[in-house]
PDB file of all heavy atoms in Angstrom:
ATOM      1  N   PRO P 435      72.812  96.495 101.575  1.00  0.00           N
ATOM      2  CA  PRO P 435      73.775  96.998 102.571  1.00  0.00           C
ATOM      3  C   PRO P 435      75.194  96.479 102.353  1.00  0.00           C
ATOM      4  O   PRO P 435      76.166  97.200 102.594  1.00  0.00           O
ATOM      5  CB  PRO P 435      73.198  96.529 103.909  1.00  0.00           C
ATOM      6  CG  PRO P 435      72.115  95.568 103.589  1.00  0.00           C
ATOM      7  CD  PRO P 435      71.662  95.836 102.205  1.00  0.00           C
ATOM      8  N   GLU P 436      75.355  95.240 101.880  1.00  0.00           N
ATOM      9  CA  GLU P 436      76.700  94.702 101.655  1.00  0.00           C
ATOM     10  C   GLU P 436      77.442  95.491 100.575  1.00  0.00           C
ATOM     11  O   GLU P 436      78.605  95.869 100.734  1.00  0.00           O
ATOM     12  CB  GLU P 436      76.632  93.213 101.237  1.00  0.00           C
ATOM     13  CG  GLU P 436      76.400  92.259 102.391  1.00  0.00           C
ATOM     14  CD  GLU P 436      77.397  92.482 103.538  1.00  0.00           C
ATOM     15  OE1 GLU P 436      78.605  92.542 103.261  1.00  0.00           O
ATOM     16  OE2 GLU P 436      76.962  92.606 104.698  1.00  0.00           O
ATOM     17  N   GLN P 437      76.725  95.719  99.470  1.00  0.00           N
ATOM     18  CA  GLN P 437      77.336  96.474  98.381  1.00  0.00           C
ATOM     19  C   GLN P 437      77.600  97.923  98.796  1.00  0.00           C
ATOM     20  O   GLN P 437      78.569  98.535  98.379  1.00  0.00           O
ATOM     21  CB  GLN P 437      76.432  96.466  97.142  1.00  0.00           C
ATOM     22  CG  GLN P 437      76.402  95.134  96.426  1.00  0.00           C
ATOM     23  CD  GLN P 437      75.237  94.266  96.863  1.00  0.00           C
ATOM     24  OE1 GLN P 437      74.822  94.306  98.025  1.00  0.00           O
ATOM     25  NE2 GLN P 437      74.732  93.473  95.941  1.00  0.00           N
ATOM     26  N   ALA P 438      76.700  98.444  99.644  1.00  0.00           N
ATOM     27  CA  ALA P 438      76.878  99.816 100.102  1.00  0.00           C
ATOM     28  C   ALA P 438      78.179  99.974 100.880  1.00  0.00           C
ATOM     29  O   ALA P 438      78.870 100.984 100.779  1.00  0.00           O
ATOM     30  CB  ALA P 438      75.682 100.231 100.967  1.00  0.00           C
ATOM     31  N   LYS P 439      78.516  98.939 101.652  1.00  0.00           N
ATOM     32  CA  LYS P 439      79.750  98.979 102.445  1.00  0.00           C
ATOM     33  C   LYS P 439      80.954  99.139 101.506  1.00  0.00           C
ATOM     34  O   LYS P 439      81.837  99.968 101.732  1.00  0.00           O
ATOM     35  CB  LYS P 439      79.877  97.678 103.247  1.00  0.00           C
ATOM     36  CG  LYS P 439      80.702  97.821 104.511  1.00  0.00           C
ATOM     37  CD  LYS P 439      80.956  96.489 105.171  1.00  0.00           C
ATOM     38  CE  LYS P 439      79.806  96.058 106.087  1.00  0.00           C
ATOM     39  NZ  LYS P 439      80.063  94.751 106.736  1.00  0.00           N
ATOM     40  N   GLU P 440      80.979  98.340 100.450  1.00  0.00           N
ATOM     41  CA  GLU P 440      82.045  98.443  99.449  1.00  0.00           C
ATOM     42  C   GLU P 440      82.050  99.816  98.793  1.00  0.00           C
ATOM     43  O   GLU P 440      83.089 100.450  98.638  1.00  0.00           O
ATOM     44  CB  GLU P 440      81.841  97.381  98.345  1.00  0.00           C
ATOM     45  CG  GLU P 440      82.230  95.973  98.753  1.00  0.00           C
ATOM     46  CD  GLU P 440      83.588  95.940  99.429  1.00  0.00           C
ATOM     47  OE1 GLU P 440      84.564  96.382  98.813  1.00  0.00           O
ATOM     48  OE2 GLU P 440      83.656  95.492 100.593  1.00  0.00           O
ATOM     49  N   LEU P 441      80.854 100.246  98.405  1.00  0.00           N
ATOM     50  CA  LEU P 441      80.753 101.525  97.689  1.00  0.00           C
ATOM     51  C   LEU P 441      81.162 102.693  98.581  1.00  0.00           C
ATOM     52  O   LEU P 441      81.756 103.674  98.122  1.00  0.00           O
ATOM     53  CB  LEU P 441      79.332 101.722  97.148  1.00  0.00           C
ATOM     54  CG  LEU P 441      78.983 100.834  95.946  1.00  0.00           C
ATOM     55  CD1 LEU P 441      77.491 100.916  95.623  1.00  0.00           C
ATOM     56  CD2 LEU P 441      79.801 101.261  94.712  1.00  0.00           C
ATOM     57  N   ARG P 442      80.854 102.595  99.874  1.00  0.00           N
ATOM     58  CA  ARG P 442      81.232 103.653 100.814  1.00  0.00           C
ATOM     59  C   ARG P 442      82.745 103.848 100.801  1.00  0.00           C
ATOM     60  O   ARG P 442      83.240 104.976 100.844  1.00  0.00           O
ATOM     61  CB  ARG P 442      80.696 103.274 102.208  1.00  0.00           C
ATOM     62  CG  ARG P 442      80.649 104.335 103.280  1.00  0.00           C
ATOM     63  CD  ARG P 442      79.736 105.507 103.028  1.00  0.00           C
ATOM     64  NE  ARG P 442      80.297 106.448 102.076  1.00  0.00           N
ATOM     65  CZ  ARG P 442      79.650 107.505 101.599  1.00  0.00           C
ATOM     66  NH1 ARG P 442      78.415 107.764 101.983  1.00  0.00           N
ATOM     67  NH2 ARG P 442      80.214 108.309 100.736  1.00  0.00           N
ATOM     68  N   LYS P 443      83.485 102.701 100.695  1.00  0.00           N
ATOM     69  CA  LYS P 443      84.958 102.789 100.662  1.00  0.00           C
ATOM     70  C   LYS P 443      85.447 103.415  99.352  1.00  0.00           C
ATOM     71  O   LYS P 443      86.362 104.224  99.342  1.00  0.00           O
ATOM     72  CB  LYS P 443      85.565 101.386 100.792  1.00  0.00           C
ATOM     73  CG  LYS P 443      85.584 100.859 102.227  1.00  0.00           C
ATOM     74  CD  LYS P 443      86.272  99.501 102.267  1.00  0.00           C
ATOM     75  CE  LYS P 443      85.577  98.588 103.271  1.00  0.00           C
ATOM     76  NZ  LYS P 443      85.785  97.165 102.983  1.00  0.00           N
ATOM     77  N   ILE P 444      84.820 102.968  98.253  1.00  0.00           N
ATOM     78  CA  ILE P 444      85.224 103.460  96.920  1.00  0.00           C
ATOM     79  C   ILE P 444      84.896 104.943  96.760  1.00  0.00           C
ATOM     80  O   ILE P 444      85.573 105.668  96.038  1.00  0.00           O
ATOM     81  CB  ILE P 444      84.495 102.644  95.827  1.00  0.00           C
ATOM     82  CG1 ILE P 444      84.970 101.191  95.812  1.00  0.00           C
ATOM     83  CG2 ILE P 444      84.668 103.286  94.456  1.00  0.00           C
ATOM     84  CD1 ILE P 444      84.163 100.296  94.885  1.00  0.00           C
ATOM     85  N   MET P 445      83.836 105.390  97.438  1.00  0.00           N
ATOM     86  CA  MET P 445      83.304 106.733  97.200  1.00  0.00           C
ATOM     87  C   MET P 445      83.197 107.535  98.492  1.00  0.00           C
ATOM     88  O   MET P 445      82.106 107.909  98.910  1.00  0.00           O
ATOM     89  CB  MET P 445      81.893 106.598  96.583  1.00  0.00           C
ATOM     90  CG  MET P 445      81.795 105.569  95.462  1.00  0.00           C
ATOM     91  SD  MET P 445      80.087 105.294  94.885  1.00  0.00           S
ATOM     92  CE  MET P 445      79.856 106.720  93.857  1.00  0.00           C
ATOM     93  N   PRO P 446      84.333 107.834  99.127  1.00  0.00           N
ATOM     94  CA  PRO P 446      84.276 108.488 100.444  1.00  0.00           C
ATOM     95  C   PRO P 446      83.671 109.885 100.426  1.00  0.00           C
ATOM     96  O   PRO P 446      83.065 110.304 101.415  1.00  0.00           O
ATOM     97  CB  PRO P 446      85.761 108.529 100.871  1.00  0.00           C
ATOM     98  CG  PRO P 446      86.541 108.403  99.599  1.00  0.00           C
ATOM     99  CD  PRO P 446      85.710 107.571  98.685  1.00  0.00           C
ATOM    100  N   ASN P 447      83.815 110.589  99.292  1.00  0.00           N
ATOM    101  CA  ASN P 447      83.327 111.980  99.244  1.00  0.00           C
ATOM    102  C   ASN P 447      82.019 112.132  98.485  1.00  0.00           C
ATOM    103  O   ASN P 447      81.652 113.229  98.100  1.00  0.00           O
ATOM    104  CB  ASN P 447      84.393 112.879  98.598  1.00  0.00           C
ATOM    105  CG  ASN P 447      85.729 112.751  99.294  1.00  0.00           C
ATOM    106  OD1 ASN P 447      85.801 112.806 100.512  1.00  0.00           O
ATOM    107  ND2 ASN P 447      86.785 112.551  98.524  1.00  0.00           N
ATOM    108  N   THR P 448      81.362 111.004  98.270  1.00  0.00           N
ATOM    109  CA  THR P 448      80.130 111.024  97.473  1.00  0.00           C
ATOM    110  C   THR P 448      78.914 110.865  98.379  1.00  0.00           C
ATOM    111  O   THR P 448      78.872 109.948  99.212  1.00  0.00           O
ATOM    112  CB  THR P 448      80.163 109.857  96.459  1.00  0.00           C
ATOM    113  OG1 THR P 448      81.353 109.944  95.685  1.00  0.00           O
ATOM    114  CG2 THR P 448      78.950 109.900  95.552  1.00  0.00           C
ATOM    115  N   TYR P 449      77.957 111.752  98.222  1.00  0.00           N
ATOM    116  CA  TYR P 449      76.710 111.593  98.980  1.00  0.00           C
ATOM    117  C   TYR P 449      75.848 110.525  98.333  1.00  0.00           C
ATOM    118  O   TYR P 449      75.715 110.482  97.105  1.00  0.00           O
ATOM    119  CB  TYR P 449      75.943 112.924  99.038  1.00  0.00           C
ATOM    120  CG  TYR P 449      75.616 113.279 100.479  1.00  0.00           C
ATOM    121  CD1 TYR P 449      76.575 113.880 101.285  1.00  0.00           C
ATOM    122  CD2 TYR P 449      74.373 112.968 101.036  1.00  0.00           C
ATOM    123  CE1 TYR P 449      76.314 114.167 102.618  1.00  0.00           C
ATOM    124  CE2 TYR P 449      74.103 113.255 102.363  1.00  0.00           C
ATOM    125  CZ  TYR P 449      75.082 113.844 103.154  1.00  0.00           C
ATOM    126  OH  TYR P 449      74.816 114.108 104.479  1.00  0.00           O
ATOM    127  N   PHE P 450      75.266 109.642  99.144  1.00  0.00           N
ATOM    128  CA  PHE P 450      74.389 108.606  98.613  1.00  0.00           C
ATOM    129  C   PHE P 450      72.923 109.025  98.793  1.00  0.00           C
ATOM    130  O   PHE P 450      72.493 109.373  99.902  1.00  0.00           O
ATOM    131  CB  PHE P 450      74.581 107.280  99.367  1.00  0.00           C
ATOM    132  CG  PHE P 450      75.903 106.598  99.113  1.00  0.00           C
ATOM    133  CD1 PHE P 450      76.227 105.425  99.792  1.00  0.00           C
ATOM    134  CD2 PHE P 450      76.820 107.106  98.191  1.00  0.00           C
ATOM    135  CE1 PHE P 450      77.444 104.788  99.569  1.00  0.00           C
ATOM    136  CE2 PHE P 450      78.035 106.468  97.958  1.00  0.00           C
ATOM    137  CZ  PHE P 450      78.351 105.297  98.652  1.00  0.00           C
ATOM    138  N   LEU P 451      72.180 108.959  97.711  1.00  0.00           N
ATOM    139  CA  LEU P 451      70.725 109.084  97.786  1.00  0.00           C
ATOM    140  C   LEU P 451      70.211 107.660  97.825  1.00  0.00           C
ATOM    141  O   LEU P 451      70.493 106.865  96.921  1.00  0.00           O
ATOM    142  CB  LEU P 451      70.207 109.818  96.545  1.00  0.00           C
ATOM    143  CG  LEU P 451      68.699 109.858  96.335  1.00  0.00           C
ATOM    144  CD1 LEU P 451      67.995 110.597  97.465  1.00  0.00           C
ATOM    145  CD2 LEU P 451      68.364 110.536  94.998  1.00  0.00           C
ATOM    146  N   VAL P 452      69.479 107.324  98.898  1.00  0.00           N
ATOM    147  CA  VAL P 452      69.177 105.915  99.180  1.00  0.00           C
ATOM    148  C   VAL P 452      67.669 105.646  99.128  1.00  0.00           C
ATOM    149  O   VAL P 452      66.955 105.891 100.098  1.00  0.00           O
ATOM    150  CB  VAL P 452      69.737 105.512 100.569  1.00  0.00           C
ATOM    151  CG1 VAL P 452      69.534 104.025 100.812  1.00  0.00           C
ATOM    152  CG2 VAL P 452      71.213 105.890 100.699  1.00  0.00           C
ATOM    153  N   PRO P 453      67.171 105.157  98.012  1.00  0.00           N
ATOM    154  CA  PRO P 453      65.765 104.777  97.945  1.00  0.00           C
ATOM    155  C   PRO P 453      65.583 103.339  98.430  1.00  0.00           C
ATOM    156  O   PRO P 453      66.560 102.586  98.493  1.00  0.00           O
ATOM    157  CB  PRO P 453      65.460 104.852  96.443  1.00  0.00           C
ATOM    158  CG  PRO P 453      66.766 104.517  95.793  1.00  0.00           C
ATOM    159  CD  PRO P 453      67.859 104.967  96.733  1.00  0.00           C
ATOM    160  N   GLY P 454      64.353 102.991  98.781  1.00  0.00           N
ATOM    161  CA  GLY P 454      64.076 101.593  99.100  1.00  0.00           C
ATOM    162  C   GLY P 454      63.849 101.333 100.577  1.00  0.00           C
ATOM    163  O   GLY P 454      63.577 100.199 100.973  1.00  0.00           O
ATOM    164  N   TYR P 455      63.929 102.385 101.419  1.00  0.00           N
ATOM    165  CA  TYR P 455      63.609 102.212 102.843  1.00  0.00           C
ATOM    166  C   TYR P 455      62.098 102.035 102.968  1.00  0.00           C
ATOM    167  O   TYR P 455      61.335 102.684 102.270  1.00  0.00           O
ATOM    168  CB  TYR P 455      64.065 103.461 103.617  1.00  0.00           C
ATOM    169  CG  TYR P 455      63.536 103.598 105.037  1.00  0.00           C
ATOM    170  CD1 TYR P 455      64.230 103.041 106.113  1.00  0.00           C
ATOM    171  CD2 TYR P 455      62.347 104.274 105.286  1.00  0.00           C
ATOM    172  CE1 TYR P 455      63.755 103.173 107.411  1.00  0.00           C
ATOM    173  CE2 TYR P 455      61.867 104.408 106.580  1.00  0.00           C
ATOM    174  CZ  TYR P 455      62.565 103.852 107.643  1.00  0.00           C
ATOM    175  OH  TYR P 455      62.080 103.993 108.924  1.00  0.00           O
ATOM    176  N   GLY P 456      61.680 101.155 103.890  1.00  0.00           N
ATOM    177  CA  GLY P 456      60.243 100.999 104.122  1.00  0.00           C
ATOM    178  C   GLY P 456      59.592 100.101 103.091  1.00  0.00           C
ATOM    179  O   GLY P 456      59.914  98.911 103.012  1.00  0.00           O
ATOM    180  N   ALA P 457      58.717 100.681 102.285  1.00  0.00           N
ATOM    181  CA  ALA P 457      57.900  99.904 101.337  1.00  0.00           C
ATOM    182  C   ALA P 457      58.705  98.873 100.535  1.00  0.00           C
ATOM    183  O   ALA P 457      58.263  97.753 100.312  1.00  0.00           O
ATOM    184  CB  ALA P 457      57.138 100.825 100.394  1.00  0.00           C
ATOM    185  N   GLN P 458      59.922  99.246 100.080  1.00  0.00           N
ATOM    186  CA  GLN P 458      60.707  98.301  99.285  1.00  0.00           C
ATOM    187  C   GLN P 458      61.539  97.327 100.127  1.00  0.00           C
ATOM    188  O   GLN P 458      62.274  96.511  99.579  1.00  0.00           O
ATOM    189  CB  GLN P 458      61.633  99.054  98.311  1.00  0.00           C
ATOM    190  CG  GLN P 458      60.906  99.726  97.141  1.00  0.00           C
ATOM    191  CD  GLN P 458      61.881 100.446  96.218  1.00  0.00           C
ATOM    192  OE1 GLN P 458      62.819  99.855  95.716  1.00  0.00           O
ATOM    193  NE2 GLN P 458      61.669 101.725  96.007  1.00  0.00           N
ATOM    194  N   GLY P 459      61.477  97.456 101.451  1.00  0.00           N
ATOM    195  CA  GLY P 459      62.092  96.430 102.290  1.00  0.00           C
ATOM    196  C   GLY P 459      63.382  96.804 103.015  1.00  0.00           C
ATOM    197  O   GLY P 459      63.895  96.011 103.790  1.00  0.00           O
TER     198      GLY P 459
END
Side-chain angles (χ1 to χ4, degrees):
Chain P
E436 281 308 310
Q437 287 95 327
K439 206 187 275 180
E440 284 313 302
L441 287 170
R442 195 64 284 174
K443 281 183 217 156
I444 293 172
M445 315 173 79
N447 305 312
T448 305
Y449 233 81
F450 290 177
L451 171 63
V452 185
Y455 167 89
Q458 288 180 56

